[in-house]
């Protein structure tokens, strides 16, 4: 098991926890995509404070996980 595998597992667990915390904030956040609910991507929301911070952290973690996945794919060749 390489370092990027461990990092991806940890990031996935953190994103799942954040998604579960965000799932109570409304129908368009958190893990609603996994539940098959309707996502309103371009709807303006009034999320503030802790909810907004969690949304930004989850976005950054997902972006970082994609970058690590690409790096691991390139380095495995």
């Amino acid at each position: 098991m390489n370092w990027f595998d461990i990092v991806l597992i940890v990031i996935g667990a953190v994103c799942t926890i954040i998604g579960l915390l965000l799932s109570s904030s409304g129908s368009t956040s958190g893990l609603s995509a996994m539940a098959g609910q309707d996502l309103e991507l371009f709807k303006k929301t009034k999320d503030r404070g802790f909810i907004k911070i969690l949304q930004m952290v989850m976005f950054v973690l997902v972006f970082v996980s994609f970058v690590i996945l690409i790096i691991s794919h390139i380095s495995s060749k």
Side-chain angles (χ1 to χ4, degrees), residues 15-75:
C15 284
T16 303
I17 291 170
I18 292 174
L20 289 172
L21 288 172
L22 286 173
S23 64
S24 65
S25 68
S27 64
T28 60
S29 61
L31 300 176
S32 60
M34 294 177 76
Q37 296 175 356
D38 185 27
L39 289 176
E40 299 171 2
L41 296 176
F42 300 106
K43 179 182 176 187
K44 291 202 174 218
T45 60
K46 295 182 180 182
D47 294 330
R48 293 181 179 90
F50 189 64
I51 302 278
K52 192 69 169 176
I53 292 170
L54 282 178
Q55 288 173 345
M56 287 187 227
V57 168
M58 188 162 179
F59 175 76
V60 170
L61 285 176
V62 169
F63 182 74
V64 167
S65 67
F66 281 135
V67 171
I68 292 174
L69 187 65
I70 291 169
I71 291 171
S72 69
H73 181 69
I74 291 171
S75 67

